[in-house]
Coordinates of all heavy atoms in Angstrom, one line a residue:
G53 N -8.2 29.5 0.9 CA -7.7 29.1 -0.4 C -7.8 27.7 -0.7 O -7.8 27.3 -1.8
D54 N -7.9 26.8 0.3 CA -8.1 25.4 0.1 C -9.5 25.1 -0.1 O -10.4 25.7 0.5 CB -7.6 24.6 1.3 CG -6.1 24.3 1.4 OD1 -5.4 25.0 0.6 OD2 -5.7 23.5 2.2
F55 N -9.8 24.2 -1.0 CA -11.2 23.8 -1.3 C -11.7 22.9 -0.2 O -10.9 22.0 0.3 CB -11.2 23.0 -2.7 CG -12.5 22.5 -3.1 CD1 -13.4 23.4 -3.7 CD2 -12.9 21.2 -2.8 CE1 -14.7 22.9 -4.1 CE2 -14.2 20.8 -3.2 CZ -15.0 21.6 -3.8
H56 N -12.9 23.0 0.2 CA -13.5 22.1 1.1 C -15.0 21.9 0.8 O -15.6 22.7 0.0 CB -13.3 22.5 2.5 CG -14.2 23.6 3.0 ND1 -13.9 24.9 2.7 CD2 -15.3 23.6 3.8 CE1 -14.9 25.7 3.3 NE2 -15.7 24.9 3.9
Y57 N -15.6 20.9 1.3 CA -17.0 20.7 1.2 C -17.7 21.1 2.5 O -17.2 20.8 3.6 CB -17.3 19.2 0.9 CG -17.1 18.7 -0.5 CD1 -15.9 18.0 -0.8 CD2 -17.9 19.0 -1.5 CE1 -15.7 17.5 -2.0 CE2 -17.7 18.6 -2.8 CZ -16.6 17.8 -3.0 OH -16.3 17.4 -4.3
M58 N -18.9 21.6 2.3 CA -19.8 21.9 3.5 C -21.0 21.1 3.2 O -21.7 21.3 2.2 CB -20.1 23.4 3.6 CG -21.1 23.7 4.7 SD -20.3 23.6 6.3 CE -19.2 25.0 6.3
I59 N -21.2 20.1 4.1 CA -22.4 19.3 4.0 C -23.5 19.7 5.0 O -23.1 20.0 6.1 CB -22.1 17.8 4.1 CG1 -21.4 17.4 5.4 CG2 -21.3 17.3 2.9 CD1 -21.3 16.0 5.7
S60 N -24.7 19.7 4.7 CA -25.8 20.1 5.6 C -26.9 19.0 5.6 O -27.2 18.5 4.5 CB -26.4 21.4 5.1 OG -25.4 22.4 5.2
V61 N -27.4 18.7 6.7 CA -28.4 17.7 6.9 C -29.5 18.3 7.8 O -29.3 18.9 8.8 CB -27.8 16.4 7.6 CG1 -28.9 15.4 7.9 CG2 -26.7 15.8 6.7
R62 N -30.7 18.0 7.3 CA -31.9 18.5 8.1 C -32.3 17.4 9.0 O -32.4 16.2 8.6 CB -33.1 18.8 7.1 CG -34.3 19.3 7.9 CD -35.4 19.7 6.9 NE -35.0 20.7 5.9 CZ -35.0 22.0 6.2 NH1 -35.3 22.4 7.3 NH2 -34.7 22.8 5.2
S63 N -32.4 17.7 10.3 CA -32.9 16.8 11.3 C -34.0 17.5 12.1 O -33.7 18.5 12.8 CB -31.7 16.4 12.2 OG -32.1 15.6 13.3
E64 N -35.1 16.9 12.1 CA -36.3 17.5 12.7 C -36.5 18.9 12.1 O -36.6 19.0 10.9 CB -36.2 17.5 14.2 CG -36.1 16.1 14.8 CD -35.7 16.0 16.2 OE1 -35.6 17.1 16.9 OE2 -35.4 14.9 16.7
D65 N -36.4 20.0 12.9 CA -36.6 21.3 12.4 C -35.3 22.1 12.3 O -35.3 23.3 12.1 CB -37.5 22.1 13.3 CG -39.0 21.6 13.2 OD1 -39.3 21.0 12.1 OD2 -39.8 21.8 14.1
K66 N -34.1 21.4 12.4 CA -32.8 22.0 12.4 C -32.0 21.6 11.2 O -32.2 20.5 10.7 CB -32.1 21.6 13.7 CG -32.7 22.1 15.0 CD -31.9 21.7 16.2 CE -32.6 22.1 17.5 NZ -31.9 21.6 18.6
I67 N -31.1 22.4 10.8 CA -30.1 22.1 9.8 C -28.8 22.1 10.5 O -28.4 23.1 11.1 CB -30.2 23.0 8.6 CG1 -31.5 22.9 7.9 CG2 -29.0 22.7 7.7 CD1 -31.7 23.8 6.7
R68 N -28.0 21.0 10.4 CA -26.7 20.9 10.9 C -25.7 20.9 9.7 O -26.0 20.3 8.7 CB -26.5 19.7 11.8 CG -27.3 19.7 13.0 CD -26.9 18.7 14.1 NE -25.5 18.8 14.4 CZ -24.8 17.8 14.8 NH1 -25.3 16.6 15.0 NH2 -23.5 18.0 15.1
S69 N -24.6 21.5 9.9 CA -23.6 21.5 8.8 C -22.2 21.1 9.3 O -21.9 21.4 10.5 CB -23.5 23.0 8.2 OG -24.7 23.3 7.7
W70 N -21.4 20.6 8.4 CA -20.1 20.1 8.7 C -19.2 20.5 7.6 O -19.5 20.3 6.4 CB -20.0 18.6 8.9 CG -20.8 18.0 10.0 CD1 -20.4 17.7 11.3 CD2 -22.2 17.7 10.0 NE1 -21.4 17.2 12.0 CE2 -22.5 17.2 11.2 CE3 -23.2 17.7 9.0 CZ2 -23.8 16.8 11.6 CZ3 -24.5 17.3 9.3 CH2 -24.8 16.8 10.6
A71 N -18.0 21.0 7.9 CA -16.9 21.3 6.9 C -16.0 20.2 6.8 O -15.5 19.6 7.9 CB -16.2 22.6 7.2
L72 N -15.6 19.8 5.6 CA -14.7 18.6 5.4 C -13.7 18.9 4.3 O -14.0 19.5 3.3 CB -15.5 17.4 5.0 CG -16.5 16.8 6.0 CD1 -17.5 15.9 5.3 CD2 -15.8 16.1 7.1
H73 N -12.4 18.6 4.6 CA -11.4 18.7 3.5 C -11.9 17.8 2.3 O -12.7 16.9 2.5 CB -10.1 18.1 4.0 CG -9.3 18.9 5.0 ND1 -9.2 18.5 6.3 CD2 -8.6 20.0 4.8 CE1 -8.4 19.4 6.9 NE2 -8.1 20.3 6.1
F74 N -11.3 18.1 1.2 CA -11.7 17.3 0.0 C -11.6 15.8 0.2 O -12.5 15.1 -0.1 CB -10.8 17.8 -1.2 CG -11.1 17.1 -2.5 CD1 -12.2 17.5 -3.3 CD2 -10.3 16.1 -3.0 CE1 -12.5 16.9 -4.5 CE2 -10.6 15.5 -4.2 CZ -11.6 15.9 -4.9
L75 N -10.4 15.3 0.6 CA -10.2 13.9 0.8 C -11.0 13.4 2.0 O -11.4 12.2 2.0 CB -8.8 13.5 0.8 CG -8.0 13.7 -0.5 CD1 -6.5 13.4 -0.3 CD2 -8.6 12.8 -1.6
C76 N -11.1 14.2 3.1 CA -11.9 13.7 4.2 C -13.4 13.5 3.8 O -14.1 12.6 4.3 CB -11.8 14.8 5.3 SG -10.2 14.8 6.1
H77 N -13.9 14.4 2.9 CA -15.2 14.3 2.4 C -15.4 12.9 1.7 O -16.4 12.2 1.8 CB -15.6 15.4 1.5 CG -16.9 15.3 0.9 ND1 -17.1 14.8 -0.4 CD2 -18.2 15.7 1.4 CE1 -18.4 14.8 -0.6 NE2 -19.1 15.3 0.4
A78 N -14.4 12.6 0.9 CA -14.4 11.3 0.1 C -14.5 10.1 1.1 O -15.2 9.2 0.9 CB -13.2 11.2 -0.8
A79 N -13.6 10.2 2.1 CA -13.6 9.1 3.1 C -15.0 9.0 3.8 O -15.5 7.9 4.1 CB -12.5 9.3 4.2
W80 N -15.6 10.2 4.2 CA -16.9 10.2 4.8 C -17.9 9.6 3.9 O -18.8 8.8 4.3 CB -17.3 11.6 5.2 CG -18.8 11.7 5.6 CD1 -19.4 11.3 6.7 CD2 -19.8 12.2 4.7 NE1 -20.7 11.5 6.6 CE2 -21.0 12.1 5.4 CE3 -19.8 12.8 3.4 CZ2 -22.2 12.5 4.9 CZ3 -21.0 13.2 2.9 CH2 -22.2 13.0 3.6
Q81 N -17.9 9.9 2.6 CA -18.9 9.4 1.6 C -18.8 7.9 1.6 O -19.9 7.2 1.6 CB -18.6 10.0 0.2 CG -19.2 11.3 0.0 CD -19.2 11.7 -1.4 OE1 -18.1 11.6 -2.1 NE2 -20.3 12.2 -2.0
V82 N -17.6 7.3 1.5 CA -17.5 5.9 1.4 C -18.1 5.2 2.6 O -18.8 4.2 2.5 CB -16.0 5.5 1.2 CG1 -15.8 4.0 1.4 CG2 -15.4 6.0 -0.1
E83 N -17.8 5.8 3.8 CA -18.3 5.2 5.0 C -19.8 5.4 5.2 O -20.5 4.6 5.8 CB -17.4 5.6 6.2 CG -16.0 5.1 6.2 CD -15.9 3.6 6.1 OE1 -16.7 2.8 6.7 OE2 -15.1 3.1 5.3
A84 N -20.3 6.6 4.8 CA -21.7 6.8 4.9 C -22.5 5.9 4.0 O -23.5 5.4 4.4 CB -22.0 8.3 4.5
V85 N -22.0 5.5 2.8 CA -22.6 4.5 2.0 C -22.6 3.2 2.7 O -23.7 2.5 2.7 CB -21.9 4.4 0.6 CG1 -22.4 3.2 -0.1 CG2 -22.2 5.7 -0.2
S86 N -21.5 2.8 3.3 CA -21.4 1.5 4.0 C -22.4 1.5 5.2 O -23.1 0.5 5.5 CB -20.0 1.3 4.5 OG -19.1 1.1 3.5
A87 N -22.5 2.6 6.0 CA -23.4 2.7 7.1 C -24.8 2.7 6.7 O -25.6 2.0 7.3 CB -23.1 4.0 7.9
A88 N -25.2 3.3 5.6 CA -26.5 3.3 5.1 C -27.0 2.0 4.7 O -28.2 1.6 4.8 CB -26.7 4.3 4.0

Side-chain angles (χ1 to χ4, degrees):
D54 278 11
F55 179 83
H56 77 282
Y57 284 104
M58 180 69 70
I59 57 170
S60 299
V61 174
R62 183 177 302 278
S63 176
E64 298 167 10
D65 290 336
K66 298 178 184 177
I67 294 180
R68 294 196 55 207
S69 297
W70 298 265
L72 298 161
H73 289 108
F74 181 79
L75 290 176
C76 291
H77 178 265
W80 166 76
Q81 278 190 313
V82 170
E83 293 306 319
V85 167
S86 296

